[in-house]
Amino acid sequence: MNIKEKIREDINSKKDEYIQFLQKIIQQPSTSGNELEAQTIVADRLRDLGLDVDVWTPDAEELKKSEFFNPRREDYEGSPNVVGTLKGKQNGKSLILNGHIDVVPAGDESKWINEPYSGTVIDGKLYGRGTTDMKGGNMSTLIALETIINLGIELKGDVIYESVIEEETGGAGTLAAIQRGYKADVALIPEPSEMKIFPKQQGSLWFEVTVEGVSAHGGTRYEGVNAIEKGWVVFQEIMNLEEQRNEPLREHPLYKNNPIPIPINIGQFNGGYFPSAVPEEAIIQGRYGIAPGETIEEAKEQFQSMLDNLKSLDNWFEKHPATVKWGGIHLPPGGCEDDHPMLEILQNNYLEVEKEEAVMAGSTWATDGGLLTQAGGIPSIVFGPGTTSMAHFTDEYVELEKMFKTAEITALSIIEWCEINE
Amino acid sequence: MNIKEKIREDINSKKDEYIQFLQKIIQQPSTSGNELEAQTIVADRLRDLGLDVDVWTPDAEELKKSEFFNPRREDYEGSPNVVGTLKGKQNGKSLILNGHIDVVPAGDESKWINEPYSGTVIDGKLYGRGTTDMKGGNMSTLIALETIINLGIELKGDVIYESVIEEETGGAGTLAAIQRGYKADVALIPEPSEMKIFPKQQGSLWFEVTVEGVSAHGGTRYEGVNAIEKGWVVFQEIMNLEEQRNEPLREHPLYKNNPIPIPINIGQFNGGYFPSAVPEEAIIQGRYGIAPGETIEEAKEQFQSMLDNLKSLDNWFEKHPATVKWGGIHLPPGGCEDDHPMLEILQNNYLEVEKEEAVMAGSTWATDGGLLTQAGGIPSIVFGPGTTSMAHFTDEYVELEKMFKTAEITALSIIEWCEINE
C-alpha cells in the first residue's frame, strides 16, 4: 500500500471517532467571549497527539500596537488562543493551518430544525452553528495532521496548527498569533470555500457615512433640507465607486465569473427620528470589499475622495461634507502569488482525490488570511469543505464527505510541502 | 365709556392677575396622561366665574365608535376634559372656545434657558412649555370670557369654554366633547397663528410604508435586492404625489404665499439591520397634509393609488407591492365657509384693535378644528396669539401683549356673534 492509500484508509477507519469529536466541539457554543471550553478540548487533543501546545490569552495592550488591530473588546479574558506545533525534523518548509474557533450567534433558535448546538447528523450532514464556518474546516485540517502522526510520518518542516479566537469580530486571535511569533512559509485556511481553492481573498471594511440636513416642522418642510435626499446622492456615488473599483477585476481569471468581484454593500440607511419633522441627519452603513493586493489605506483614500467629490455634484456638500467613520469589520485582503508552488500541490492532490480539476476562484468575503498575509507576511490560501451559503445561517451544516476529502487532500499536500523525512 | 373701551380697560386693569394665573397653569407639566392638576385649576376658575362646569373622563369604548378616533391610550384615567358653559339668555347664536391643555414633552431640559415649566416673564414674553401651544391661547379666550362676565354683559347665545386633553396625540379630548353633545354655531381655536386668521386648517395623517427587498450576504450582494433602492423609488413617487396634490392650491387665496400648502414630509427612512447584509426591508414614515375640504378617505385613496401605480415604474412592485399603514396623528382638515359671518366679525374687530388689516391664511398644521368641523359639523376658525415657530421648541414663549390683544378682539367678537341681551 502506498502512502496515498494509507492516508485514505486511515481516515476511513476513524471516521466515526472524528465525527464524535466534531460533535463535541459543535456542542460548545463558542461565540465571542465564550471560547474557553472549546479551546480546552482542542488543546487537550493537540497535547494527546504529542504536539507542543501553547495556550495564552491575547493581550489587548500588545494588540493595540498593530495598525491592523480593530479593538472590539477591552480584554480577552476567558478567550485563549491555542497553537499546537508539530516540529519538523529538518529545516524544511513550514506551514500554518489556521482556523477560528469562534462562531456567530445562533439567532432565533426556534427557527432551527435541530437545536443550534446539537451536532445532529442527518443524511451525511452534520448540523449546528459553526459546522460550516468553520469547525468542520478546522476538523479537516486536524484530521490531516492526525493521519500523518498516526501513520508515523516524519516531516522536514514544521506544521503549526492554530485554533484562534475572534475572527468573526475582527481577527484579534490571528493577529495575536502573528505577534507571538508564529510564522510559516504558507498558510492554509479551511474557511467554507466548498472545496474551491482561493489564492486571493478580498478584504472587508465596515463604513458609516453621516450626511447632514436641516430640521424643520413637517408642515413647513420647505424651511428644512431633508437629509434622506442628500443621503441618496451619497448612496448613488457609493454605487458608482463600486462600479469603478470593479472594472479592473472584470477580466481577472479568479473573478471573471463573479458579477461583482469586490462589492460595496449598503446594508443600513437610517434617516430622521419623527414622521412630522424634516430629518437633519442620515446614516449610511455598509461593507466595503477590498481588492486582493490593495491596502486598506488605498481603499479608504478612494472612498474619501468619492466623498470629497460630492460637492461637485451638489453644492450642499460644500458646507456640509459627508463624513465617514470606519469601524466593525476591518480585515485586509489576503492571498499568495499567482505561481505559488502550494497552489499546484493542492490542485494536483485535488485531482488525485476528486478525479476532476479543482476550481480556482477569489473569495467573496474576508478571512484571517488578510492578517496572515499583510500583518504576518505569510502567503495564504483558503481551501475548506463548508458550504458558503450556510455560513451564519439557520440550520448550518457541513457535508461530512467533503470534510474527509478535504482532510485527505490536505494531508497529501502537507507531506508534499513539508516533505517526508525519510 | 363705550363697551369697546370698557373691555380694554377691564383687561388692562387685571393684567398682573391674568399673568399670575397663566404662570400657575404653565407650572403644571400637563403632558399626555398628566393633565389632572392643570384641568382642576381651570375647572375651579370656571366655577368661580359662575359657569356650569362639566368635568369627565373620556370613555375609550365610546370613542372607539367614532371613525375619527385614533386610539393612543387604553383609557383616559387621570385625564379629564373640562367644559364650562355660559348660558345665553335667549336662543342666540352659540360659540365654542376650544383649546387643548396637553403639552408635548420638554425634550432635553438642560437646553432651556429657564426651567421648562418656570413661567418666567422676560421682556414681555412668558416662557415655558405650552405657553405658545397653547395655554397662552387658552388664556386669551378665558380673559375674553371673564371680561364679559366682569362687565356684567349678558349674551343671547351660549359660550362654551372647552379645555380638552390629547390634542397633541390625536384629538381624543375634542372628540369626547363632541360625543358628549357640545355643539355650537361656530368654534374659535386660539392655536398659535400669530394673530393671523385661519378660515381653513389642513389635516394631517402619519403614514408608514413598508418596502420589500431580498436579503443576501454583502459579499454576494448581487444575489439580493436592496430594499433601500426600492424605497427610493417610493420616496420619489411620494414627492411626485405632493407636487400633484399641491397644484390645485397654488392660486388659493389663503395658500398662495405658501411654497407647499399641504406638504408631505418624509421624516424617517430606515432600511436594513446589518452593514454586511442586503436589506430586505425599508420603512418610510412621514406626515401627509390633507387639504381643507378633503376627506381623510379621499386622501388615503390617492396615496394608495400612487402605491398601486409603482408597478408601472418598476415591475419589482408587481409581486412585492409597497404597503401603507396609517397611525399616529390622524386629524382631518377643518375650517368654515369662505363667507362665514364670523370671519368678517373677527376681521373688523382686528382692524378696530390693531389698526391694520388682519392677515388671512391657511394653517400649515392640523388642529382639533378638523374634528370640530368633520366629526361635529361645527365651522372652525383658528385665531391665537402664539408664535408658530416656538411650538414644540426649546424656550417656547408667548408674547403677553399679543395674548391680551387677542383676548380683546375675541371679547368684542363674542359679543357681536352671541349678541348682547339688552
Side-chain angles (χ1 to χ4, degrees):
Chain A
M1 204 156 36
N2 69 19
I3 190 80
K4 292 175 184 174
E5 286 164 344
K6 283 183 186 168
I7 286 173
R8 178 169 305 170
E9 195 187 80
D10 192 74
I11 292 174
N12 282 341
S13 70
K14 297 190 175 69
K15 280 183 174 176
D16 286 352
E17 196 275 327
Y18 289 137
I19 291 169
Q20 282 166 30
F21 184 74
L22 177 57
Q23 287 176 317
K24 202 167 153 189
I25 295 290
I26 293 299
Q27 284 157 9
Q28 312 306 317
S30 54
T31 50
S32 172
N34 302 299
E35 304 93 339
L36 182 60
E37 288 78 9
Q39 289 289 65
T40 303
I41 295 168
V42 171
D44 287 346
R45 180 102 178 181
L46 297 175
R47 274 189 209 99
D48 290 346
L49 289 170
L51 270 55
D52 292 339
V53 177
D54 183 11
V55 179
W56 81 100
T57 301
D59 177 355
E61 292 309 310
E62 190 62 28
L63 286 164
K64 281 178 191 161
K65 295 177 186 165
S66 169
E67 59 174 315
F68 293 99
F69 183 48
N70 172 34
R72 302 279 289 179
R73 290 165 63 175
E74 282 303 301
D75 65 63
Y76 295 91
E77 279 310 310
S79 301
N81 261 350
V82 173
V83 173
T85 303
L86 179 64
K87 289 296 292 179
K89 299 298 169 185
Q90 298 186 45
N91 200 17
K93 279 180 288 182
S94 59
L95 176 136
I96 284 173
L97 300 169
N98 172 287
H100 63 85
I101 195 74
D102 58 306
V103 298
V104 296
D108 183 350
E109 302 203 0
S110 69
K111 289 190 177 162
W112 288 67
I113 294 169
N114 306 295
E115 284 178 281
Y117 299 103
S118 68
T120 307
V121 176
I122 302 168
D123 292 338
K125 292 171 179 167
L126 196 150
Y127 285 84
R129 171 57 78 231
T131 46
T132 214
D133 183 14
M134 62 176 288
K135 290 173 174 176
N138 297 348
M139 194 68 213
S140 68
T141 50
L142 184 65
I143 293 168
L145 194 57
E146 292 203 18
T147 305
I148 290 167
I149 293 167
N150 291 338
L151 295 175
I153 299 167
E154 290 188 351
L155 301 171
K156 289 184 179 170
D158 295 349
V159 181
I160 299 166
Y161 185 91
E162 299 185 348
S163 180
V164 299
I165 62 163
E166 291 277 321
E167 190 271 347
E168 296 292 358
T169 45
T174 288
L175 190 58
I178 293 165
Q179 287 182 326
R180 203 163 172 93
Y182 289 105
K183 295 281 168 81
D185 296 313
V186 74
L188 285 187
I189 306 165
E191 286 267 19
S193 72
E194 301 178 351
M195 296 182 74
K196 293 173 194 158
I197 298 168
F198 291 171
K200 303 287 183 200
Q201 308 106 39
Q202 69 183 269
S204 169
L205 299 180
W206 282 7
F207 60 83
E208 183 181 308
V209 175
T210 301
V211 183
E212 282 179 41
V214 174
S215 191
H217 273 284
T220 48
R221 73 165 190 84
Y222 40 84
E223 292 172 357
V225 173
N226 194 324
I228 297 168
E229 291 184 51
K230 298 304 177 189
W232 183 248
V233 177
V234 180
F235 186 109
Q236 288 171 295
E237 280 310 289
I238 293 173
M239 292 296 95
N240 288 340
L241 178 64
E242 183 197 60
E243 178 76 22
Q244 178 193 329
R245 284 170 55 77
N246 279 279
E247 197 52 43
L249 290 165
R250 295 253 176 264
E251 301 303 315
H252 191 292
L254 297 176
Y255 283 107
K256 65 182 178 216
N257 293 322
N258 187 323
I260 311 175
I262 47 165
I264 309 183
N265 181 68
I266 296 181
Q268 286 171 276
F269 188 115
N270 294 293
Y273 64 95
F274 193 67
S276 190
V278 176
E280 61 188 341
E281 189 175 85
I283 305 284
I284 304 171
Q285 288 168 276
R287 177 260 186 217
Y288 187 43
I290 313 299
E294 188 178 29
T295 68
I296 285 181
E297 281 316 307
E298 286 163 355
K300 285 182 177 176
E301 277 165 25
Q302 226 175 2
F303 197 94
Q304 184 60 52
S305 76
M306 174 275 295
L307 293 179
D308 292 343
N309 189 48
L310 287 166
K311 59 179 181 283
S312 72
L313 301 170
D314 180 340
N315 65 15
W316 170 256
F317 294 102
E318 183 80 57
K319 291 201 172 160
H320 306 269
T323 55
V324 63
K325 280 194 296 191
W326 301 97
I329 295 293
H330 197 268
L331 288 168
C336 63
E337 297 300 309
D338 294 341
D339 59 354
H340 193 282
M342 189 57 164
L343 294 174
E344 198 181 335
I345 292 174
L346 283 168
Q347 284 173 291
N348 289 341
N349 288 314
Y350 186 96
L351 182 61
E352 170 78 29
V353 171
E354 291 287 282
K355 315 296 180 208
E356 61 180 27
E357 297 282 348
V359 176
M360 309 298 284
S363 85
T364 54
W365 21 261
T367 73
D368 272 345
L371 291 170
L372 290 164
T373 307
Q374 294 208 16
I378 305 162
S380 301
I381 301 165
V382 169
F383 172 63
T387 306
T388 306
S389 63
M390 293 314 295
H392 302 201
F393 267 62
T394 302
D395 296 324
E396 181 179 346
Y397 61 80
V398 67
E399 293 182 50
L400 291 168
E401 204 45 39
K402 287 194 173 154
M403 182 175 84
F404 293 121
K405 292 292 188 195
T406 302
E408 191 180 337
I409 294 163
T410 304
L412 292 169
S413 301
I414 290 172
I415 59 179
E416 210 171 322
W417 177 259
C418 298
E419 292 178 85
I420 297 177
N421 188 44
E422 308 286 358
Chain B
M1 206 160 30
N2 69 19
I3 191 80
K4 293 174 183 173
E5 288 164 344
K6 284 183 184 168
I7 285 173
R8 179 169 303 170
E9 194 185 82
D10 193 73
I11 292 174
N12 283 340
S13 70
K14 298 188 173 70
K15 280 182 175 177
D16 286 350
E17 196 275 328
Y18 289 138
I19 290 169
Q20 282 165 31
F21 184 75
L22 176 58
Q23 287 175 317
K24 201 167 152 190
I25 295 289
I26 292 298
Q27 285 157 7
Q28 312 307 316
S30 54
T31 51
S32 173
N34 302 299
E35 304 92 339
L36 182 61
E37 288 76 8
Q39 289 288 65
T40 302
I41 295 167
V42 172
D44 286 347
R45 180 103 178 180
L46 296 175
R47 273 189 210 99
D48 289 348
L49 289 171
L51 270 55
D52 292 337
V53 177
D54 183 11
V55 179
W56 80 101
T57 302
D59 177 356
E61 292 310 309
E62 190 62 27
L63 285 163
K64 281 178 191 159
K65 295 177 186 164
S66 169
E67 59 173 316
F68 293 98
F69 182 49
N70 172 35
R72 303 279 289 180
R73 289 166 64 175
E74 283 302 302
D75 65 61
Y76 295 89
E77 280 309 312
S79 300
N81 261 349
V82 173
V83 174
T85 304
L86 178 66
K87 289 297 291 178
K89 299 299 170 185
Q90 297 187 44
N91 200 17
K93 279 180 289 180
S94 58
L95 176 137
I96 284 174
L97 300 169
N98 171 287
H100 64 87
I101 195 75
D102 58 305
V103 298
V104 296
D108 183 349
E109 301 202 1
S110 69
K111 291 189 175 161
W112 288 68
I113 295 169
N114 304 297
E115 283 179 281
Y117 300 103
S118 68
T120 307
V121 177
I122 304 169
D123 290 340
K125 293 172 179 169
L126 195 151
Y127 285 83
R129 171 57 79 231
T131 46
T132 212
D133 183 14
M134 63 177 287
K135 290 172 174 176
N138 296 348
M139 194 68 212
S140 68
T141 51
L142 184 66
I143 294 168
L145 193 57
E146 292 202 18
T147 306
I148 290 167
I149 292 167
N150 291 339
L151 296 176
I153 298 167
E154 290 189 348
L155 299 171
K156 289 184 179 170
D158 295 348
V159 181
I160 300 167
Y161 185 89
E162 299 185 347
S163 179
V164 298
I165 62 162
E166 291 279 319
E167 190 270 348
E168 296 291 358
T169 46
T174 288
L175 189 59
I178 293 165
Q179 286 182 327
R180 203 163 171 95
Y182 290 105
K183 297 279 169 82
D185 296 312
V186 74
L188 285 187
I189 306 165
E191 287 268 19
S193 72
E194 301 178 350
M195 297 183 74
K196 294 174 194 158
I197 298 168
F198 291 171
K200 303 285 183 199
Q201 308 107 37
Q202 71 182 269
S204 169
L205 298 180
W206 283 7
F207 60 83
E208 182 181 308
V209 175
T210 301
V211 183
E212 282 179 41
V214 174
S215 191
H217 273 285
T220 48
R221 73 166 190 83
Y222 40 84
E223 292 172 358
V225 173
N226 194 324
I228 296 167
E229 291 184 51
K230 299 305 175 188
W232 182 249
V233 177
V234 180
F235 186 109
Q236 289 171 295
E237 280 309 289
I238 293 173
M239 291 296 94
N240 288 339
L241 177 64
E242 183 197 59
E243 177 74 24
Q244 178 192 328
R245 282 171 56 78
N246 279 280
E247 197 50 44
L249 290 166
R250 296 253 175 264
E251 301 303 315
H252 191 292
L254 295 177
Y255 284 107
K256 66 183 178 214
N257 292 323
N258 187 322
I260 311 175
I262 47 166
I264 309 183
N265 180 68
I266 295 182
Q268 286 171 278
F269 188 115
N270 292 293
Y273 63 95
F274 193 67
S276 190
V278 176
E280 62 188 340
E281 190 175 86
I283 306 283
I284 304 170
Q285 288 167 276
R287 177 258 187 217
Y288 188 44
I290 314 297
E294 189 178 27
T295 68
I296 285 182
E297 281 317 306
E298 286 163 355
K300 285 183 177 176
E301 277 164 26
Q302 225 175 1
F303 197 94
Q304 184 61 51
S305 75
M306 174 274 294
L307 293 179
D308 293 343
N309 188 50
L310 287 167
K311 59 178 181 282
S312 72
L313 300 170
D314 180 340
N315 64 17
W316 169 257
F317 294 101
E318 182 80 57
K319 290 199 173 163
H320 305 269
T323 55
V324 64
K325 281 193 297 192
W326 300 98
I329 295 294
H330 197 267
L331 289 168
C336 64
E337 296 301 309
D338 294 341
D339 58 354
H340 193 283
M342 188 57 163
L343 293 174
E344 197 182 334
I345 292 173
L346 283 168
Q347 284 173 288
N348 289 342
N349 287 313
Y350 186 95
L351 182 62
E352 171 77 27
V353 172
E354 291 286 282
K355 314 295 179 209
E356 60 180 25
E357 297 281 346
V359 176
M360 310 298 284
S363 84
T364 56
W365 20 262
T367 73
D368 272 345
L371 291 169
L372 290 164
T373 307
Q374 293 208 17
I378 304 161
S380 301
I381 301 164
V382 169
F383 172 64
T387 305
T388 305
S389 64
M390 293 314 294
H392 301 202
F393 268 62
T394 302
D395 296 324
E396 182 178 344
Y397 62 80
V398 67
E399 292 182 48
L400 290 167
E401 203 45 39
K402 286 194 174 157
M403 182 176 85
F404 292 121
K405 291 291 188 194
T406 301
E408 189 179 339
I409 295 163
T410 303
L412 291 169
S413 300
I414 290 172
I415 59 178
E416 209 169 326
W417 177 259
C418 297
E419 291 178 84
I420 297 176
N421 189 46
E422 307 287 358

